Amino acid sequence: MDPEAAQKARESLELAFQMSNILDTGLDRHTLSVLIALCDLGLNPESLAAVVKELPTHTHPTQQQQQQQHRNTDS
Amino acid sequence: MEEEDHQKVSDLIKELVLRLLSQNPTSDSQPIDPNSTDFANSLRYAFRILSSRMTPSIAPDSAAIAESIKRRLATQGKSSEALTFADLYSKFASKTGPGSVNNKWAVLYLLKIIAHDKNSARTQLLDSSVLLPNLSDSRVSSRKQKGWENGVLLVSKDPENRREIAFREFVNFVKEENEVREEVLVRDVLYACQGIDGKYVKFDKTADGYVLSDLVKVPRATRIMVRKLCELGWLFRKVKGYISESMDRFPAEDVGTVGQAFCAALQDELSDYYKLLAVLEAQSMNPIPLVSEKVSSENYLSLRRLSVWFAEPMVKMRLMAVLVDKCRVLRGGAMAGAIHLHAQHGDPLVHEFMRRLLRRVCSPLFEMVRSWVLEGELEDIFAEFFVVGQPVKAESLWRDGYRLHAGMLPSFISQSLAQRILRTGKSINFLRVCCEDRGWADTATEAAAAAGTTTRRGSLGYGETDALESLVDEAAKRIDKHLLDVIHIQYKFKEHCLAIKRYLLLGQGDFVQYLMDIVGPELSEPANTISTFKLAGLLETAIRSSNAQYDDPDILDRLRVKMMPHGTGDRGWDVFSLEYDARVPLDTVFTESVMARYLKIFNFLWKLRRVEHGLIGAWKTMKPNCITSHSFTKLQQAVKLQLLSTLRRCQVLWVDMNHFVTNLQYYIMFEVLEVSWSNFLSEMEVAKDLDDLLAAHEKYLHSIVEKSLLGERSQTLCKSLFVLFDLILRFRSHADRLYEGIHELQARTMESSLPSRDKSKSRRQLGDKSSDPGSWIGEGRKALTQRAGEFLRNMGLDLDAIAKEYSSLLEGFISQLPVQQHVDLKFLLFRLDFTEFYTRSGPSL
């Protein structure tokens, strides 16, 4: 990427990050950059948002299970 | 390229998942292993979600999304942040070209949804508090949960903020108050508006409305709102009730065509209403289109929104209910008129609605008018039209066959238009029945073409009263003209009127003279000995010997002799009359009552003629001849004087009476009959239809009756006139007797004065003629003189008596004349008394 484009990309990302902070989305820069790339590639933002919402809670029970297993094996 | 893209996408997704999982705050310190089964599970799950929805549900408009985000920020009370956001967005949007984000809208949308999800994940509120910003109970706590690593730490509001506490308390309060959720209430209201009882909202017969049962705990505001919305249900119920009631009555033929049209129009309006309700119901199931699945956002339809949607249907439904109330007992034209009164409204919505309704309601009426005006057909099974027909005989078809029923006349058809409509249809029927004429059918099509409509059904509607008027006018014009043509040309109305005038009103002088001459002796007999047949023969003779024989045979055919019903003492003179037979269709004009009036006038004129005839007869005998003059030389002086004076008195009286009778005759013939006739003729020329003709004829007859002293007001005058006539006739007989006596006297004197050689001859001559041979023959001159004197004296006394009576009666008659109100009688007075002879001599005047 030429430096201009890179500059622009950085600035856009910065702006987007500030906007997301105002909106209090809880996304950090890196995740946001990935999401922006995915949007740009044409994915449905609604489904991306769903992934963002669902994924942490989805793994939560399995993690709990894992924890329990660990505890069980420990004890 | 696609392969590359796919690879890129999957790489990125893996990266994303990694990041998200590492953000998970509850994970223990175990690092995330990209190859673990957990990770694989998550990855698979992520892929599943991503592939489930390929297209977004909103339009890719980044500006709109930015706007909505700004608005949301503003409503949440973060107005400064909203401004910052706007600033950032404008900078973000201005970046174009390589290295910038292409699907900006996608990014914005993404941020919006994520933010929203985050927000709503914190809320645990009920849906009824939609008006307030989303309150969060645990905002503070969730903040603590988040571990911001790289982001800017937003300073949260002070948790002890009173506003927050107040909101929280209010939310709790609302939670307690509302037993029922708003969407259930909304659904119930929607049911109520279709007339169905919902779970909580039921129809209460005593309160006559849809009420929310008191047992249900809802706040008062909601209760009032529900009640207001259910007014629509009450109105709907009323309208629907009317429609179903009417439909039940259809088979009983109780509801007319107009009523049926009204029901149909109402049902159309209701079907529009149903459509609206269906849309609203569908909406009420749908949440606002925010597509995150788990969020139970507020339903689109709240009670408030419902009241906005219901504003227009409420107006329409109210109108319909008012109309239904009004029209419950009305039918036909009255119903159309009542609805029309309600259409006089300024509001364009109401106006348009009523116009649509009225167009349907009035179409059967207009149809009836059209068929009546163009074809003369009354298709009115339910008695809704304002023209009512009755079965009558042909001769009274015009006068009584059809009439207007004012109760069924709608208010947008004026009285004069209704009269014209009635007359047009009546004319067509009259032509068809009485005149047996078929030419009117063309006039109908002509009229329709001229008015710009067709003769087909359904071409006129409400709101086109002008078109209707023009159609009626055209049809009326043509039909009237046609009818008058038929009456005048085919049935020779004018000729018949003239014939009646000449024969019944004694206009044909020579005919009347002959008739009287011939019929006179017959009529002196008592009435029951006279045969009508003989009189008819005499009438024929009279016709043939006068100018009347050149008249149209059809007219002469109709002239007949009629003997009126008589008592025992009547003479022929009293019961004789002529009659004219007017057949269909002219007997519409010459009805029974009209002919009776003609008869009355005829009697009067006949009497007058008789008196005149008598006087003329007396004149004939009174002419001086040589026999009379001879007697002057032979008689003695005294007798001669007596004779002279008697004769003179007789002549004076005769002149008096003649003057009276002549002037009266002149007055009647010219001032009354001719003037009325010329007026009638001129009115006949300008008459535009049969009604005008009838009116003109009425006027003609009425003026004749009034002016010839036969009317109601002149009863006394008429009586005195008849007494005068009787007196004159008595005089005539006296005069006859007088002259007879004089002739006899002469005959005697001549005989006695003749040389003896002629005596026997003259005696023999006289012997044949004299009716009383015994009284005079052989008497001397003295006896003759004595007899003559006696006779003359008696006659003189009689004449005096008659003269006195006559003058007193005449005075009475003349004194009464000025009292009469009719102005023409003054002319009679003037003629009779132009030298003021009577007024000066009479003491009473």
Side-chain angles (χ1 to χ4, degrees):
Chain A
M1 285 208 304
D2 52 308
E4 261 187 45
Q7 176 69 17
K8 240 193 234 179
R10 261 204 305 280
E11 281 166 13
S12 307
L13 180 60
E14 190 55 42
L15 287 170
F17 182 65
Q18 283 180 10
M19 283 199 281
S20 98
N21 280 336
I22 291 179
L23 289 174
D24 188 22
T25 54
L27 296 169
D28 58 332
R29 265 202 189 81
H30 195 87
T31 324
L32 188 60
S33 68
V34 171
L35 281 170
I36 291 179
L38 280 171
C39 281
D40 236 6
L41 284 169
L43 253 65
N44 189 357
E46 288 166 0
S47 39
L48 283 173
V51 170
V52 166
K53 196 172 86 168
E54 299 287 325
L55 221 47
T57 51
H58 176 76
T59 52
H60 189 68
T62 42
Q63 276 209 333
Q64 269 191 337
Q65 264 184 8
Q66 262 194 343
Q67 278 178 354
Q68 267 199 328
Q69 272 180 3
H70 276 281
R71 259 184 261 127
N72 286 343
T73 52
D74 274 342
S75 65
Chain B
M1 259 317 264
E2 287 215 12
E3 285 286 328
E4 257 185 47
D5 276 342
H6 276 310
Q7 190 55 38
K8 240 192 262 180
V9 165
S10 47
D11 281 340
L12 283 171
I13 292 174
K14 245 194 244 176
E15 181 75 27
L16 176 68
V17 171
L18 195 61
R19 302 287 318 176
L20 284 174
L21 288 179
S22 62
Q23 267 186 25
N24 196 340
T26 58
S27 68
D28 41 21
S29 48
Q30 279 177 353
I32 304 295
D33 180 13
N35 296 324
S36 70
T37 46
D38 281 339
F39 187 73
N41 278 342
S42 315
L43 191 61
R44 262 206 301 281
Y45 184 60
F47 269 113
R48 213 179 64 219
I49 295 178
L50 286 172
S51 53
S52 64
R53 271 172 289 184
M54 284 292 106
T55 48
S57 63
I58 62 158
D61 185 4
S62 53
I65 302 174
E67 268 304 309
S68 72
I69 297 177
K70 240 191 297 180
R71 226 180 295 131
R72 167 144 1 119
L73 284 174
T75 52
Q76 283 172 353
K78 306 180 195 163
S79 40
S80 58
E81 280 160 17
L83 287 172
T84 327
F85 180 81
D87 197 28
L88 288 171
Y89 168 70
S90 55
K91 283 196 208 141
F92 183 67
S94 62
K95 296 213 176 293
T96 52
S100 68
V101 181
N102 287 336
N103 290 344
K104 293 194 177 59
W105 67 272
V107 175
L108 286 173
Y109 194 38
L110 181 70
L111 292 177
K112 179 172 168 208
I113 300 175
I114 297 177
H116 183 79
D117 290 347
K118 280 267 184 305
N119 265 338
S120 2
R122 295 186 212 125
T123 63
Q124 301 156 27
L125 284 180
L126 298 174
D127 300 350
S128 53
S129 57
V130 293
L131 299 173
L132 303 171
N134 281 330
L135 301 175
S136 66
D137 288 345
S138 46
R139 194 175 171 134
V140 175
S141 49
S142 66
R143 219 164 272 294
K144 291 207 192 101
Q145 282 174 6
K146 285 198 183 314
W148 289 96
E149 291 172 5
N150 305 329
V152 173
L153 194 66
L154 281 177
V155 178
S156 67
K157 293 206 180 110
D158 186 2
E160 312 304 330
N161 193 336
R162 291 226 181 90
R163 197 152 161 257
E164 294 253 0
I165 294 174
F167 275 153
R168 233 179 297 146
E169 281 190 19
F170 181 69
V171 161
N172 290 334
F173 177 68
V174 162
K175 255 195 286 181
E176 282 167 17
E177 269 289 299
N178 270 327
E179 202 178 278
V180 180
R181 280 175 47 229
E182 179 155 4
E183 65 181 16
V184 176
L185 278 180
V186 162
R187 210 177 48 237
D188 268 5
V189 165
L190 281 176
Y191 283 158
C193 291
Q194 292 172 48
I196 311 169
D197 283 348
K199 199 150 127 199
Y200 299 102
V201 175
K202 297 196 200 317
F203 186 72
D204 188 355
K205 280 210 170 37
T206 48
D208 194 24
Y210 279 97
V211 290
L212 197 53
S213 155
D214 278 336
L215 303 170
V216 176
K217 268 181 67 178
V218 283
R220 206 180 130 98
T222 319
R223 203 181 281 278
I224 295 178
M225 178 81 80
V226 164
R227 179 104 192 178
K228 276 196 202 154
L229 292 174
C230 290
E231 181 190 351
L232 192 57
W234 183 79
L235 292 169
F236 172 81
R237 221 181 133 90
K238 182 186 272 229
V239 173
K240 193 97 181 75
Y242 174 75
I243 292 180
S244 36
E245 207 184 293
S246 300
M247 296 197 40
D248 284 340
R249 280 164 39 204
F250 278 176
E253 294 203 351
D254 206 6
V255 179
T257 49
V258 174
Q260 289 174 21
F262 183 49
C263 280
L266 282 178
Q267 273 177 323
D268 277 348
E269 294 295 331
L270 283 187
S271 70
D272 279 341
Y273 172 70
Y274 286 145
K275 272 188 226 159
L276 172 69
L277 282 185
V279 167
L280 283 176
E281 241 177 282
Q283 286 285 333
S284 77
M285 295 307 147
N286 284 342
I288 302 180
L290 291 180
V291 287
S292 320
E293 281 175 339
K294 270 219 189 139
V295 172
S296 62
S297 69
E298 316 87 44
N299 272 350
Y300 180 67
L301 214 53
S302 65
L303 284 177
R304 218 57 11 132
R305 281 213 174 90
L306 210 54
S307 72
V308 168
W309 277 108
F310 276 176
E312 194 181 310
M314 189 84 82
V315 168
K316 288 197 189 152
M317 197 64 77
R318 220 173 261 148
L319 265 179
M320 284 198 273
V322 164
L323 288 177
V324 154
D325 271 338
K326 236 345 186 1
C327 299
R328 223 174 259 278
V329 291
L330 296 175
R331 325 154 45 95
M335 189 189 274
I339 297 181
H340 171 76
L341 283 177
H342 278 280
Q344 313 302 314
H345 204 281
D347 182 0
L349 172 74
V350 171
H351 196 75
E352 186 55 38
F353 175 79
M354 293 300 290
R355 209 182 67 83
R356 264 202 322 268
L357 199 70
L358 267 172
R359 217 189 147 85
R360 306 241 350 227
V361 165
C362 295
S363 69
L365 265 184
F366 274 55
E367 207 28 62
M368 281 196 259
V369 169
R370 197 198 58 80
S371 75
W372 169 249
V373 160
L374 292 179
E375 293 150 23
E377 291 288 334
L378 259 189
E379 329 166 337
D380 189 16
I381 319 173
F382 299 106
E384 296 175 303
F385 199 36
F386 49 87
V387 172
V388 177
Q390 291 160 11
V392 287
K393 292 186 298 202
E395 64 209 15
S396 29
L397 181 72
W398 183 264
R399 286 177 208 260
D400 304 325
Y402 299 97
R403 58 185 180 85
L404 278 182
H405 185 177
M408 285 297 170
L409 184 65
S411 39
F412 49 85
I413 293 186
S414 66
Q415 190 72 346
S416 66
L417 183 60
Q419 286 285 353
R420 261 176 287 161
I421 291 175
L422 176 70
R423 203 177 60 225
T424 314
K426 225 178 9 174
S427 314
I428 295 181
N429 275 310
F430 186 71
L431 278 171
R432 197 168 50 208
V433 173
C434 303
C435 309
E436 288 159 18
D437 176 69
R438 297 268 168 267
W440 54 268
D442 308 326
T443 58
T445 36
E446 267 175 40
T453 62
T454 65
T455 49
R456 282 184 301 106
R457 302 182 75 92
S459 50
L460 283 178
Y462 170 78
E464 295 178 15
T465 320
D466 296 340
L468 181 74
E469 246 188 83
S470 70
L471 175 68
V472 168
D473 274 342
E474 290 292 325
K477 216 165 55 183
R478 286 184 172 70
I479 287 285
D480 283 339
K481 191 163 124 35
H482 189 79
L483 178 64
L484 280 181
D485 283 345
V486 164
I487 290 271
H488 278 297
I489 297 173
Q490 201 172 334
Y491 291 97
K492 302 194 202 121
F493 177 67
K494 206 184 283 190
E495 281 77 6
H496 284 295
C497 276
L498 190 59
I500 288 184
K501 176 174 174 298
R502 277 166 44 209
Y503 296 113
L504 286 192
L505 298 182
L506 304 184
Q508 185 86 11
D510 56 344
F511 163 71
V512 178
Q513 191 73 17
Y514 279 123
L515 186 65
M516 201 159 286
D517 283 340
I518 296 174
V519 159
E522 277 291 319
L523 288 183
S524 309
E525 307 296 320
N528 40 17
T529 58
I530 303 177
S531 103
T532 321
F533 194 62
K534 187 156 178 219
L535 285 178
L538 291 175
L539 177 72
E540 274 299 311
T541 324
I543 290 177
R544 265 182 283 119
S545 46
S546 69
N547 271 334
Q549 61 185 305
Y550 303 117
D551 216 349
D552 194 357
D554 181 36
I555 290 181
L556 290 175
D557 228 353
R558 303 190 185 208
L559 192 61
R560 267 179 236 138
V561 169
K562 179 168 149 161
M563 299 293 281
M564 295 195 291
H566 44 260
T568 42
D570 289 337
R571 301 249 141 211
W573 284 109
D574 301 327
V575 299
F576 174 77
S577 65
L578 286 177
E579 160 181 76
Y580 196 84
D581 178 28
R583 294 177 209 131
V584 169
L586 289 180
D587 55 359
T588 317
V589 181
F590 303 119
T591 60
E592 294 275 335
S593 61
V594 165
M595 294 315 274
R597 268 193 287 176
Y598 269 120
L599 200 67
K600 202 162 144 199
I601 302 174
F602 171 81
N603 278 333
F604 174 69
L605 291 172
W606 185 252
K607 236 183 250 191
L608 185 57
R609 280 285 179 152
R610 182 186 168 203
V611 164
E612 193 197 7
H613 193 254
L615 271 181
I616 292 175
W619 178 246
K620 281 194 243 178
T621 53
M622 280 205 299
K623 53 185 194 285
N625 48 23
C626 58
I627 301 179
T628 333
S629 56
H630 260 260
S631 63
F632 292 158
T633 53
K634 297 292 187 259
L635 288 175
Q636 273 190 348
Q637 199 57 23
V639 179
K640 206 199 266 185
L641 272 175
Q642 242 183 347
L643 182 66
L644 272 176
S645 71
T646 320
L647 280 179
R648 188 161 172 74
R649 248 177 297 162
C650 181
Q651 277 179 346
V652 163
L653 195 51
W654 187 91
V655 168
D656 209 340
M657 288 182 177
N658 188 44
H659 163 83
F660 172 68
V661 169
T662 314
N663 277 311
L664 188 62
Q665 177 85 336
Y666 173 83
Y667 166 73
I668 294 281
M669 290 314 288
F670 293 105
E671 299 266 335
V672 176
L673 286 181
E674 289 300 323
V675 167
S676 310
W677 174 252
S678 72
N679 284 339
F680 179 53
L681 269 185
S682 54
E683 273 183 20
M684 241 205 292
E685 293 300 315
V686 297
K688 285 196 302 291
D689 59 66
L690 196 53
D691 276 339
D692 284 349
L693 264 186
L694 284 173
H697 187 253
E698 252 320 293
K699 205 168 113 180
Y700 163 68
L701 262 188
H702 182 78
S703 75
I704 291 180
V705 163
E706 278 292 313
K707 289 200 233 179
S708 54
L709 305 172
L710 294 171
E712 292 293 313
R713 297 184 289 188
S714 328
Q715 291 276 3
T716 45
L717 209 55
C718 208
K719 279 196 204 93
S720 55
L721 196 60
F722 287 160
V723 173
L724 266 173
F725 286 168
D726 284 336
L727 193 64
I728 293 175
L729 288 171
R730 252 175 42 214
F731 162 75
R732 196 243 154 115
S733 58
H734 269 103
D736 277 346
R737 251 192 304 147
L738 172 65
Y739 274 85
E740 231 178 74
I742 291 178
H743 280 154
E744 281 234 37
L745 186 64
Q746 280 152 25
R748 295 293 160 225
T749 45
M750 261 190 67
E751 187 211 40
S752 56
S753 65
L754 270 179
S756 37
R757 49 178 175 184
D758 291 344
K759 247 193 219 172
S760 50
K761 215 198 305 178
S762 55
R763 201 185 300 153
R764 253 181 280 124
Q765 279 178 354
L766 280 173
D768 298 341
K769 290 188 219 156
S770 68
S771 50
D772 193 8
S775 53
W776 291 77
I777 296 175
E779 292 197 6
R781 224 169 134 170
K782 221 183 196 150
L784 202 66
T785 322
Q786 200 187 19
R787 275 247 178 200
E790 242 180 70
F791 173 68
L792 285 172
R793 211 174 328 142
N794 285 339
M795 291 311 291
L797 285 173
D798 284 340
L799 277 176
D800 277 341
I802 289 182
K804 218 180 299 213
E805 217 181 310
Y806 176 76
S807 57
S808 68
L809 275 176
L810 190 62
E811 271 164 31
F813 179 75
I814 288 183
S815 65
Q816 275 179 322
L817 267 183
V819 178
Q820 297 301 307
Q821 280 123 351
H822 210 293
V823 73
D824 288 343
L825 287 171
K826 303 231 192 322
F827 290 126
L828 177 63
L829 175 63
F830 176 69
R831 265 176 221 294
L832 285 176
D833 198 22
F834 68 91
T835 50
E836 290 192 10
F837 173 70
Y838 297 106
T839 41
R840 259 184 282 156
S841 60
S844 57
L845 295 174

